[in-house]
Amino acid sequence: VSLRDVERTVQVMLWFYKLIPKLHLDPTGMSLITYSLILSIAVCYRAKLRDRGKFDSCLTSSLVAPLSTITKSSLIQIKIDECQTRIVDLMRIEAHIARNSALTENLFMMFVCIQLKIPLFIVGKPGSSKSLARSIINHSFNEGLCVGGHRI
């Protein structure tokens, strides 16, 4: 891990720390700092992995006080899904478009990386919602996303 990676992770963590209250996300089961850290790690490291369950288990066992309130690795996935869903709900997605996990994750990653000006390459098989996510993000940013009356 390079210092650039660590700096990016901290930048993303601070951004999530400010965003979580605006999105009215409930950090039940963990502190706001822990929630921000997990989302930051999800963006900076976890998204690149194929076997995320193994990573979640390792992360859960590596957390020490005061971050050690997470006892199940499944809670990490639940909290990441919760944040992804809340952010995707802010976007205007037509009724005929299925909100599958690939589209949701692509939209989430694009949203975060655009907001923080982090380069992002989305690679996947044909039909994995890459172009669709890009067009939804484009329309959403042109219309303006609002959280709590504040434009994001």
Side-chain angles (χ1 to χ4, degrees):
V1 177
S2 71
L3 287 176
R4 188 176 302 139
D5 288 338
V6 173
E7 181 181 7
R8 180 178 304 131
T9 303
V10 170
Q11 174 193 16
V12 175
M13 181 182 159
L14 293 173
W15 183 79
F16 274 121
Y17 187 81
K18 294 173 186 172
L19 184 68
I20 289 169
K22 291 180 185 177
L23 292 175
H24 305 292
L25 290 168
D26 181 20
T28 300
M30 63 183 74
S31 69
L32 181 58
I33 291 172
T34 305
Y35 197 7
S36 303
L37 177 63
I38 287 171
L39 292 172
S40 177
I41 289 171
V43 168
C44 297
Y45 299 104
R46 187 178 182 271
K48 302 172 189 178
L49 303 174
R50 290 180 192 253
D51 186 7
R52 295 175 181 174
K54 192 175 183 180
F55 181 80
D56 293 348
S57 296
C58 183
L59 179 62
T60 302
S61 64
S62 299
L63 293 174
V64 294
L67 305 176
S68 60
T69 57
I70 302 171
T71 56
K72 296 182 182 175
S73 60
S74 60
L75 183 60
I76 292 174
Q77 181 63 47
I78 290 167
K79 291 300 185 180
I80 292 168
D81 289 345
E82 180 182 281
C83 184
Q84 287 178 348
T85 302
R86 189 66 54 95
I87 287 175
V88 171
D89 285 346
L90 297 173
M91 300 176 196
R92 198 181 113 234
I93 300 175
E94 296 178 26
H96 68 278
I97 297 174
R99 292 186 185 201
N100 60 31
S101 60
L103 177 62
T104 301
E105 185 173 346
N106 288 343
L107 288 169
F108 173 74
M109 290 298 296
M110 286 180 182
F111 176 80
V112 172
C113 291
I114 288 169
Q115 289 292 313
L116 296 172
K117 296 179 174 80
I118 297 172
L120 175 69
F121 290 96
I122 296 188
V123 180
K125 296 177 183 176
S128 59
S129 303
K130 299 177 301 290
S131 297
L132 177 60
R134 191 204 141 290
S135 65
I136 291 170
I137 283 284
N138 190 33
H139 291 297
S140 295
F141 273 92
N142 286 338
E143 292 177 3
L145 297 172
C146 290
V147 175
H150 302 288
R151 189 170 181 189
I152 295 181

